[in-house]
Amino acid sequence: MNRFDYVRAGSPEEAVRHLGASGMPDLEAHAPRFLAGGTNLVDLMKEGVMAPVRLVDIGRIPLTEIRETGNGGVHLGAMATNADTAWHPLVGERLPLLRSAILAGASPQIRNRATNGGNLLQRTRCLYFYDAGVPCNKRVPGSGCPAASGLARQHAILGASPHCVATHPSDMCVALAALDAEVHVTGPGGDRVIAFADFHRLPGDRPDLDTTLAPGELITHLVLPPNGLQRHSCYLKLRERASFAFALVSVAAGLELEDDGRIIDARVALGGVAHKPWRVRDAERLLVGGVPSPELFRACAAALLKDAVPTGGPALPESLPGNAFKIPLAERAIVRALELALAGIPTNTGEDAFRAIGAKAQRAPTAEFP
Amino acid sequence: MTETQQPRAPDGTGPVAIGTPLPRIDAFAKVTGTARYAAEHSGTGLLYGVVVNTPVARGRIAAIDASAALALDGVADVLTHLHRPRMRSLDLFYKDMTAPAGSPFKPLHDDEIHYSGQPVALVVATSLELARHAAMLVRVEVDTAAHETHLLDNRSRARTPSRLKAGFSPPPKPRGDAEAAWRGSPVSIDAEYYAGVEHHNPMEMHATTVLYGPDGHLTIHDKTQGSQNSRWVVSRAFGLPARKVTVKNAFVGGAFGSGLRPQYNLLLATMAALQLKQSVRVVLTRQQMFTFGHRPETWQRVRLGADATGRLTAVMHEAVAETSRREDYVEVVVNWSGQLYACDNVALDYRLVELDQYSPIDMRAPGAAHGVHALEVAMDELAHAAGIDPLELRLRNYTDHDAAKDLPYSTKALRQCYEQAARRFGWESRPPAPRSMREGHEFVGWGMATGIWDAMQMFARARATLDEDGRLVVESAATDIGTGTYTAMSQIAAAELGLPLEHVTFRLGDSTLPVAPIEGGSSHVATVGSAVQGVCEKLRKVLWKRAKQRAPGFEGARFDDLEFRGGQVLRRGTEAAVPLTQLLREEAGGPLEEKYLLMPNLLKQKKYIRAVHSAVFVEVRVDEALGTVRVTRVVSAVAAGRIVNPVTARSQVIGGVVWGIGQAMHEETLTDHALGRFMNHNLGEYHVACNADVPDIDVLFVEEDDRVVSRMGAKGVGEIGIVGVAAAISNAIFHATGKRLRSTPMTPDKVMAR
Amino acid sequence: MSLTATSTAPAGTSPAVASATPPAVSSPAPMGALHVRLTINQREHEIAVEPWTTLLDLLREQLDLTGTKKGCDHGQCGACTVLLDGARVNSCLLLAVSLDGCDITTVEGLPALAARAAPGDAASGKHGNHGNRGDNIDGAGLAARDAALSDGLPLHPLQQSFIDCDALQCGYCTPGQLCSAAGLMNEPRPVNRHELRERLSGNLCRCGAYPQIVDAVSRIVLRPDSAMPAVCAASAAMVASPADTGEVRE
């Protein structure tokens, strides 16, 4: 870990001022940063991947509110923890998709400390990005991307570029994308609102830039507009062990149905497949007006994955080359997530799913345990 | 160790026997956080060492520039191959007690780079943060050379290994004509199996604290499975006599084989302490835990032939594993296939490919974890091909006799393992055809496998001191890596002398104590436990003589007439009884002390095969569209001789099963071959099983008592738990879906239906 | 038949290292120590600490509270779990300087935590085990042991339950498991064992003691309406086979 200046801020204005005051070092890796929960930043600093010259501690800034907005939406303070957010009654009631997504991620200890703002800004867990001993265009622009021809299980099948095949690791963000969250920020240039779809970037030829935040900008809160998806949403996460692991593929799916069963609103966002949560409006439009069916769901999946391209090196025994498995896996995951959403099952993972399995096991004594 | 930390049973525990279920006596120290591990001992002026590793796989160090690091206030030194204390350079001095044939790795020895992750410098500073920061400032220039890390691409280079490693037996010579028999078999299978690299990843990272005494004596707290092994290597590598070096390992946070050999943190910390004449601590990072030994990547091919009734007519098993360029790391992979089932035609082969890697090292059930996996999946394949129930196939080929060595088993209660586990599991209601059981999106499958492991005994010495108050101290340089050594040894001693458990103290973890081997190979109870029982028997003999001489009613008593119970000595068949303390106090001369050297009875042991056995039955639920697998039920029945403490033994087996789940479903260290480097070197991406992966696990101990393996009748249970589990899971997945997987880990991308 | 063939990976020269690593910033000026007030295990501390020191390293290196363990230093194993204002967190990812005024409980402080939560409720295990360390303080060793620890307080019920259920082997993950379970008691309570497994999945145990850990924690933490056995397998074995009268078997 590098040596750095440490300063505490009591307000967003003070925070922005402190960040700007230290000037801009040559390297992005050395740029000053806000310290919120620290669950990703401190990790990256210990690896030597990020080395900010100054940390501005925003941990005490009162941005923790979770409340209703005027028009039935939900305001989530940027400094509210992921755990407080997931367990908040408003979120459980209005945004069950978000609750499921948050509880699918990380561990209880991390969720108790990680903040909503920080969750958006967490960086990829690409093995090469995290390893200061090997090339990585995101970490050191121009040095190369070994993942593209190497180990790519974590990596993108959509939206990648020749420079970078990394994915965004957050679960929460997949739900925020599906729910059309707005990101409210303040900065040297004043306040502005960024639509969630515009917040995270695709790598393009600037893989070192994860988001569209301008230098010095601070996230103050998220606003989730009202929606009618509560009864039919599902966050489905597929991973290599039952908990405490990043997604191979995840899906945030939500449907709003008319009384006669027709779909009047549909959201489908993918995680683990791209540099940002992946939504394709045309794929959702295929569902609107239709009656749910496996064929309809498969058509939606096909549209979402239309441009999917595998990456990575030779196959491990009994597997497909690189991350090619993610394409069929994503297709099936999308269909399954929509089926579960239709059935009113909110998730396949996390404490809510385990509780349900346990309750079922207790009712049927010959059944087993996960 | 302070009084608080020395494990002892709580007051009121009372008398115990071999077989009494007891809470482990070191639990108090561990749940209160007072147990100190290697990195938790301190001394005045302690300096912190942080290792610098090169990512380059092969080449030569051209230059090291440590100037920026050295310029920092508080950085005491930066050791490199050009700047370190004098050390001996002959390989001989670096060979530890478990070293394989070849040239051991010598950290900072010269400019040659052998593998990615090799330590190339040690930064020593007054704080951990400063040392870590300074380490990032050290610039290492390397002239790179071509490397080779791909096992499967290099199988043609495979060669027969050297046999020189303690405990290694090469595959026995072929018997019969396996090739011809296989070709002529009505039912046969031929399959290749593969497992990638795995790393031990104990929760405690490897660490060494060298406390530099005023007289230059080194007291070294090392994370090791053998304090004397570490001490021995330090003495020889640095030319330090034994009296100048003490190694302690009172508490070890898991090891699983990674502590069988001294790791580079030990030598680097010692180098720094000698260079600076100060105490130094070196703790490896979790990332660095991937830069020394590992379970080797292994390819296997198994061919089985059987007649129409399922009797094996041919067994052919070959394995090719990786090793480093410098040492022939060997493990027993294929021998089990010639041993476990009756067959007249057996051909086995085991070869190594040298790669630019660190030498592999034993990792929980080394060799068997892979070898028995392949055999047991192959047996399942054979069962399916022959239309025979998998358990029935094992029973039809059961043998009480090892044909390879033409010897009987000392004990083998495997039949009872099969029977009891199958009954508990409900195996008889298993529908034979795959894809027969389904619930919702999940197919349900039931699979089974046999487990086998060695029941070894090594030599050890124990010293026992019994004071006038009847307090017993027993000592040996043994180790407790979480196995329950403190408890088992105290229990054996207490039982032998009829003392309340809380009056017994077992001291271990100190190289100055009587000789004991590394804790490994599931041999500690049989070895050290026998020494403990033996030395306590010597004490009983002394007390018997005293009783005969002066205790009323004991005149003419024979040794075997005496019972030691409840703090008293009793004469069977009479009313005669005398308190132990009375016999101890009457004679002047202070506490009784005895020593006993346990040497295995080789004459007796070489007449038998000594092994532990298990039968493991597993239920899985597979969502084949998504490739997810849940292990939902496990029953493991183990025949491991007399169980000293059923509580700790059960925990050991459960731990082994959890390892088996990890081996089957999650664990692989992935190599980027272009870089020649392990890439998922952290606990976020190297997946050990988490709590949510593990169901309740049913463990049964089948009754067995084996006085050939050890005088108490006990074997060892540290490793049998893992053997066969991954195969049972693979077989269960086949039963669920009809898809046969022959590699591990069985991740969703492999399991999902195409 | 067998495994998919894999193609050859090129065995070329390794890339030069220098270009892959951003040059580290040599410190412009020494980082000054800042003062923070921390309440640790109900004792107040005023500590001078450099900004780059994590809470974990502060506890272990400066305060000699080595009960909290370092298993990965990157928030991936949970061995370093402590309670921060009652919430379970990974101390390896906390910079101590950011915790001014916070209340911290480590494994060493669990007995006091239990005593504070239920004064007079003698929060020690009475679950049918061998000897309770809180009672019967006789024997010099025992007294010394308890006195050195938390002023002779009985163990937290979770600690006693871990002993009774053999919920540990090497013991290295144990403090983190205990603090994690203690923190769980301040969260919405789990309903059944399945949920409990998931809620404890932020604590890795390489010895594989998970079933026993679930036994030990469920006895204390699960809501009473969840029909769980009061006695775990390990302690049931101990109760069923009381200590032998000491008959010496050969």
Side-chain angles (χ1 to χ4, degrees):
Chain A
M1 195 188 290
N2 59 296
R3 290 199 141 125
F4 54 89
D5 262 353
Y6 170 85
V7 60
R8 288 181 206 131
S11 71
E13 300 71 37
E14 204 188 331
V16 170
R17 201 171 1 102
H18 280 311
L19 200 79
S22 66
M24 283 311 299
D26 289 338
L27 282 178
E28 180 66 16
H30 300 158
R33 303 274 168 193
F34 297 119
L35 174 70
T39 53
N40 192 223
L41 183 56
V42 174
D43 173 22
L44 288 164
M45 288 172 71
K46 288 194 211 187
E47 294 278 16
V49 171
M50 291 179 73
V53 295
R54 165 177 281 203
L55 289 185
V56 178
D57 188 343
I58 55 175
R60 311 299 169 109
I61 298 180
L63 291 173
T64 55
E65 240 194 324
I66 298 175
R67 59 170 170 78
E68 286 188 70
T69 62
N71 64 341
V74 179
H75 166 119
L76 301 174
M79 289 305 296
T81 64
N82 288 173
D84 285 345
T85 304
W87 287 330
H88 198 284
L90 255 187
V91 173
E93 186 193 296
R94 308 263 177 102
L95 305 164
L97 185 59
L98 183 62
R99 171 191 168 90
S100 295
I102 294 173
L103 293 176
S107 70
Q109 289 91 320
I110 292 175
R111 296 194 294 266
N112 277 344
R113 184 76 186 159
T115 62
N116 292 333
N119 195 308
L120 266 59
L121 295 172
Q122 71 180 290
R123 314 212 57 195
T124 185
R125 298 312 194 280
C126 169
L127 301 174
Y128 301 86
F129 172 70
Y130 252 82
D131 187 338
V134 307
C136 167
N137 283 328
K138 182 180 282 291
R139 185 168 24 84
V140 182
S143 62
C145 176
S149 56
L151 300 166
R153 295 179 72 77
Q154 312 159 293
H155 294 80
I157 49 172
L158 292 158
S161 82
H163 303 280
C164 184
V165 294
T167 51
H168 196 268
S170 167
D171 294 296
M172 182 179 183
C173 287
V174 185
L176 292 173
L179 294 166
D180 282 327
E182 298 171 348
V183 185
H184 291 247
V185 311
T186 186
D191 299 346
R192 66 186 181 111
V193 180
I194 308 173
F196 202 82
D198 300 330
F199 183 80
H200 293 104
R201 300 178 65 255
L202 289 180
D205 60 2
R206 289 298 306 274
D208 53 315
L209 300 177
D210 290 351
T211 72
T212 56
L213 275 185
E217 283 190 315
L218 171 70
I219 302 171
T220 55
H221 59 285
L222 306 170
V223 172
L224 281 294
N227 68 79
L229 310 164
Q230 290 79 10
R231 290 177 55 207
H232 300 286
S233 60
C234 177
Y235 189 72
L236 180 86
K237 182 174 183 179
L238 301 174
R239 41 183 162 178
E240 287 177 352
R241 66 180 176 196
S243 189
F244 205 6
F246 292 99
L248 291 171
V249 168
S250 70
V251 184
L255 298 170
E256 186 181 357
L257 304 180
E258 199 70 86
D259 289 337
D260 64 358
R262 278 180 192 282
I263 298 169
I264 52 177
D265 188 10
R267 322 279 181 94
V268 188
L270 303 182
V273 297
H275 203 254
K276 59 189 285 184
W278 194 260
R279 261 183 91 177
V280 175
R281 303 303 163 122
D282 284 345
E284 292 168 2
R285 278 181 212 119
L286 279 179
L287 296 174
V288 174
V291 170
S293 74
E295 297 73 40
L296 192 63
F297 291 165
R298 279 198 287 271
C300 174
L304 264 165
L305 298 170
K306 175 163 67 71
D307 299 321
V309 169
T311 189
L316 293 174
E318 300 189 300
S319 186
L320 292 173
N323 66 2
F325 68 89
K326 279 201 190 191
I327 300 178
L329 188 62
E331 196 264 336
R332 298 166 193 192
I334 294 162
V335 172
R336 180 70 63 83
L338 286 165
E339 287 171 352
L340 291 173
L342 185 66
I345 295 169
T347 184
N348 72 320
T349 192
E351 58 196 67
D352 292 341
F354 275 86
R355 188 184 311 118
I357 291 172
K360 186 172 155 218
Q362 276 167 351
R363 286 195 299 272
T366 54
E368 60 342 317
F369 327 70
Chain B
M1 132 166 40
T2 70
E3 218 15 56
T4 320
Q5 295 152 25
Q6 167 62 46
R8 197 177 303 111
D11 284 0
T13 305
V16 297
I18 290 179
T20 307
L22 292 170
R24 67 184 75 212
I25 63 177
D26 47 320
F28 184 85
K30 290 173 176 175
V31 301
T32 53
T34 52
R36 283 188 189 254
Y37 299 77
E40 298 168 353
H41 297 268
S42 207
T44 344
L46 179 74
L47 296 171
Y48 295 82
V50 169
V51 182
V52 179
N53 312 72
T54 178
V56 175
R58 200 86 176 92
R60 286 200 176 270
I61 300 172
I64 301 189
D65 178 6
S67 55
L70 289 164
L72 296 179
D73 192 29
V75 173
D77 208 346
V78 177
L79 299 186
T80 68
H81 65 289
L82 297 171
H83 174 67
R84 59 168 168 76
R86 255 175 53 91
M87 293 177 71
R88 289 172 162 167
S89 42
L90 282 183
D91 285 347
L92 176 62
F93 295 115
Y94 292 79
K95 278 198 188 268
D96 67 280
M97 298 173 195
T98 65
S103 179
F105 174 68
K106 305 193 280 268
L108 303 193
H109 178 66
D110 61 16
D111 62 356
E112 196 180 345
I113 307 278
H114 303 276
Y115 70 100
S116 179
Q118 179 174 322
V120 294
L122 181 77
V123 176
V124 187
T126 50
S127 81
L128 175 61
E129 294 86 359
L130 182 58
R132 179 170 60 192
H133 170 60
M136 289 187 159
L137 303 178
V138 175
R139 302 268 120 237
V140 183
E141 262 174 59
V142 178
D143 292 331
T144 65
H147 64 266
E148 191 53 73
T149 52
H150 207 295
L151 175 71
L152 295 178
D153 284 355
N154 283 278
R155 269 177 47 212
S156 55
R157 284 203 281 118
R159 57 165 177 80
T160 310
S162 162
R163 359 173 353 155
L164 291 175
K165 179 170 169 283
F168 175 68
S169 313
K173 298 218 177 333
R175 57 184 191 259
D177 186 342
E179 182 89 32
W182 180 75
R183 257 194 259 288
S185 304
V187 190
S188 70
I189 62 112
D190 178 356
E192 291 179 32
Y193 303 87
Y194 171 85
V197 171
E198 295 169 28
H199 276 86
H200 308 67
N201 279 312
M203 290 310 297
E204 179 200 14
M205 290 156 340
H206 277 254
T208 307
T209 303
V210 179
L211 298 176
Y212 193 90
D215 51 351
H217 184 97
L218 302 181
T219 304
I220 302 179
H221 293 272
D222 187 38
K223 188 235 174 61
T224 172
Q225 288 172 253
S227 55
Q228 292 178 331
N229 196 29
S230 291
R231 198 285 305 163
W232 193 54
V233 170
V234 166
S235 276
R236 288 153 83 240
F238 291 95
L240 298 170
R243 62 184 155 73
K244 298 218 72 169
V245 182
T246 305
V247 175
K248 298 191 178 189
N249 64 338
F251 293 100
V252 179
F256 315 108
S258 64
L260 287 173
R261 304 182 69 184
Q263 299 305 344
Y264 61 74
N265 45 286
L266 172 66
L267 295 176
L268 292 177
T270 307
M271 275 188 221
L274 292 173
Q275 180 85 349
L276 299 166
K277 298 195 176 17
Q278 270 186 262
S279 299
V280 176
R281 176 190 302 152
V282 176
V283 182
L284 299 188
T285 63
R286 179 57 58 177
Q287 289 72 3
Q288 288 164 340
M289 292 296 285
F290 291 81
T291 63
F292 55 94
H294 53 270
R295 197 195 294 283
E297 191 181 354
T298 306
W299 169 92
Q300 299 177 72
R301 179 181 182 196
V302 179
R303 281 174 280 176
L304 301 177
D307 66 22
T309 70
R311 295 248 149 68
L312 286 167
T313 52
V315 171
M316 298 161 75
H317 190 167
E318 48 181 302
V320 175
E322 47 133 338
T323 188
S324 64
R325 300 273 189 195
R326 304 168 55 85
E327 289 177 309
D328 273 13
Y329 170 75
V330 288
E331 51 187 30
V332 176
V333 182
V334 299
N335 304 13
W336 316 99
S337 300
Q339 179 182 346
L340 196 41
Y341 302 111
C343 185
D344 294 329
N345 303 292
V346 175
L348 307 171
D349 188 59
Y350 172 62
R351 279 171 293 146
L352 299 181
V353 173
E354 293 176 17
L355 295 176
D356 296 307
Q357 292 281 22
Y358 197 90
S359 296
I361 194 173
D362 292 334
M363 177 164 154
R364 203 164 198 174
H370 285 331
V372 176
H373 176 84
L375 174 66
E376 288 299 300
V377 175
M379 286 292 279
D380 196 78
E381 299 201 56
L382 187 70
H384 184 72
I388 297 173
D389 173 84
L391 173 59
E392 183 58 35
L393 182 70
R394 278 28 175 231
L395 293 170
R396 286 190 194 171
N397 291 286
Y398 195 93
T399 175
D400 283 307
H401 178 264
D402 177 40
K405 301 212 170 95
D406 193 21
L407 293 172
Y409 283 86
S410 57
T411 53
K412 181 177 175 178
L414 177 56
R415 247 191 242 283
Q416 293 88 314
C417 291
Y418 288 136
E419 197 219 331
Q420 291 180 27
R423 192 165 3 109
R424 171 88 87 172
F425 187 85
W427 183 260
E428 76 270 8
S429 43
R430 175 183 187 267
R435 304 178 76 82
S436 299
M437 304 195 284
R438 192 173 177 152
E439 245 185 68
H441 285 296
E442 293 177 317
F443 282 97
V444 183
W446 293 356
M448 61 81 58
T450 311
I452 181 173
W453 185 245
D454 292 320
M456 285 196 290
Q457 186 186 50
M458 301 194 252
F459 74 88
R461 177 177 268 126
R463 177 170 62 224
T465 310
L466 186 58
D467 74 11
E468 295 181 343
D469 299 321
R471 308 282 161 142
L472 178 68
V473 175
V474 185
E475 301 174 294
S476 185
T479 302
D480 191 330
I481 51 175
T483 42
T485 308
Y486 280 111
T487 309
M489 301 307 143
S490 305
Q491 186 171 354
I492 290 168
E496 189 69 13
L497 285 163
L499 295 171
L501 188 61
E502 61 267 40
H503 288 184
V504 177
T505 301
F506 183 76
R507 292 198 201 281
L508 53 75
D510 186 321
S511 62
T512 61
L513 294 179
V515 68
I518 41 91
E519 170 163 40
S522 307
S523 61
H524 234 38
V525 164
T527 304
V528 181
S530 296
V532 168
Q533 199 184 56
V535 75
C536 290
E537 186 183 50
K538 285 180 93 164
L539 285 175
R540 286 200 294 132
K541 290 216 159 110
V542 173
L543 292 165
W544 161 59
K545 291 198 181 112
R546 289 189 184 183
K548 261 202 316 184
Q549 276 164 21
R550 74 176 74 90
F554 282 86
E555 307 77 10
R558 291 174 309 160
F559 180 62
D560 291 331
D561 288 340
L562 262 54
E563 251 182 65
F564 286 68
R565 183 154 43 96
Q568 302 216 300
V569 185
L570 307 155
R571 185 175 180 176
R572 270 188 257 263
T574 76
E575 299 291 309
V578 57
L580 204 63
T581 45
Q582 191 175 314
L583 292 173
L584 292 161
R585 282 175 193 147
E586 278 172 359
E587 191 121 339
L592 283 186
E593 183 181 300
E594 286 294 337
K595 287 196 272 251
Y596 175 75
L597 175 65
L598 181 278
M599 297 295 303
N601 185 341
L602 295 173
L603 258 147
K604 183 157 85 156
Q605 286 178 348
K606 68 178 194 164
K607 295 191 179 131
Y608 299 94
I609 299 294
R610 292 162 288 133
V612 293
H613 295 90
S614 69
V616 57
F617 291 73
V618 167
E619 175 185 279
V620 301
R621 287 167 188 252
V622 183
D623 186 326
E624 64 173 3
L626 303 175
T628 54
V629 178
R630 299 191 293 137
V631 177
T632 47
R633 281 198 301 141
V634 182
V635 178
S636 175
V638 174
R642 231 168 130 213
I643 303 298
V644 174
N645 183 337
V647 172
T648 52
R650 173 177 174 267
S651 294
Q652 278 282 72
V653 175
I654 287 175
V657 171
V658 174
W659 271 63
I661 293 173
Q663 178 193 347
M665 307 306 310
H666 312 121
E667 294 185 45
E668 185 170 9
T669 313
L670 299 166
T671 305
D672 180 305
H673 293 290
L675 299 171
R677 181 170 174 75
F678 295 139
M679 290 306 301
N680 57 328
H681 41 66
N682 62 70
L683 287 178
E685 298 303 326
Y686 182 94
H687 292 142
V688 312
C690 67
N691 203 325
D693 290 308
V694 177
D696 285 340
I697 295 167
D698 222 332
V699 175
L700 309 169
F701 286 112
V702 165
E703 216 168 292
E704 210 185 49
D705 187 328
D706 193 320
R707 304 295 165 138
V708 174
V709 173
S710 72
R711 52 183 287 157
M712 302 156 309
K715 296 176 179 175
V717 291
E719 286 160 292
I720 186 63
I722 184 182
V723 184
V725 173
I729 293 173
S730 178
N731 297 340
I733 292 174
F734 174 76
H735 185 239
T737 63
K739 184 169 192 179
R740 179 71 66 186
L741 290 172
R742 302 188 181 92
S743 69
T744 54
M746 295 178 285
T747 46
D749 50 304
K750 299 182 187 180
V751 175
M752 61 189 278
R754 292 274 181 260
Chain C
M1 167 186 96
S2 51
L3 305 177
T4 323
T6 57
S7 58
T8 315
T13 54
S14 299
V17 173
S19 62
T21 322
V25 177
S26 263
S27 131
M31 279 198 307
L34 297 173
H35 288 262
V36 284
R37 289 159 305 128
L38 299 171
T39 303
I40 300 176
N41 299 332
Q42 302 182 33
R43 202 168 288 160
E44 284 185 20
H45 299 256
E46 171 133 356
I47 307 176
V49 63
E50 291 184 298
W52 61 10
T53 302
T54 62
L55 176 63
L56 178 63
D57 288 326
L58 173 69
L59 291 169
R60 287 170 64 78
E61 306 303 329
Q62 281 182 234
L63 300 177
D64 199 37
L65 286 169
T66 57
T68 309
K69 306 302 183 196
K70 180 177 289 190
C72 72
D73 215 21
H74 286 269
Q76 295 167 335
C77 76
C80 68
T81 305
V82 299
L83 299 185
L84 181 70
D85 296 335
R88 49 178 169 154
V89 292
N90 293 322
S91 60
C92 68
L93 295 178
L94 299 173
L95 296 180
V97 286
S98 68
L99 305 177
D100 188 45
C102 287
D103 184 276
I104 292 154
T105 302
T106 70
V107 65
E108 291 97 337
L110 287 180
L113 186 72
R116 184 175 69 182
D121 193 22
S124 54
K126 307 233 184 276
H127 302 292
N129 58 304
H130 284 282
N132 180 337
R133 287 230 164 45
D135 302 332
N136 308 323
I137 302 180
D138 56 27
L142 188 57
R145 183 162 38 205
D146 278 344
L149 171 80
S150 310
D151 309 311
L153 289 169
L155 294 177
H156 189 291
L158 285 168
Q159 290 171 306
Q160 188 61 56
S161 196
F162 267 57
I163 296 174
D164 296 343
C165 295
D166 206 38
L168 60 125
Q169 293 176 35
C170 82
Y172 201 77
C173 79
T174 304
Q177 301 278 359
L178 286 165
C179 287
S180 187
L184 179 58
M185 292 171 80
N186 294 332
E187 295 171 7
R189 290 295 189 98
V191 170
N192 54 46
R193 282 170 79 89
H194 302 269
E195 185 188 346
L196 185 59
R197 285 191 183 98
E198 158 63 21
R199 304 274 299 269
L200 293 176
S201 283
N203 292 86
L204 298 181
C205 171
R206 190 47 160 160
C207 292
Y210 294 125
Q212 301 89 301
I213 291 170
V214 172
D215 283 346
V217 176
S218 65
R219 293 158 99 209
I220 310 297
V221 159
L222 285 185
R223 289 198 226 149
D225 57 315
S226 60
M228 289 319 326
V231 175
C232 61
S235 72
M238 291 182 244
V239 166
S241 307
D244 202 276
T245 51
E247 185 165 311
V248 174
R249 297 189 213 159
E250 219 271 76

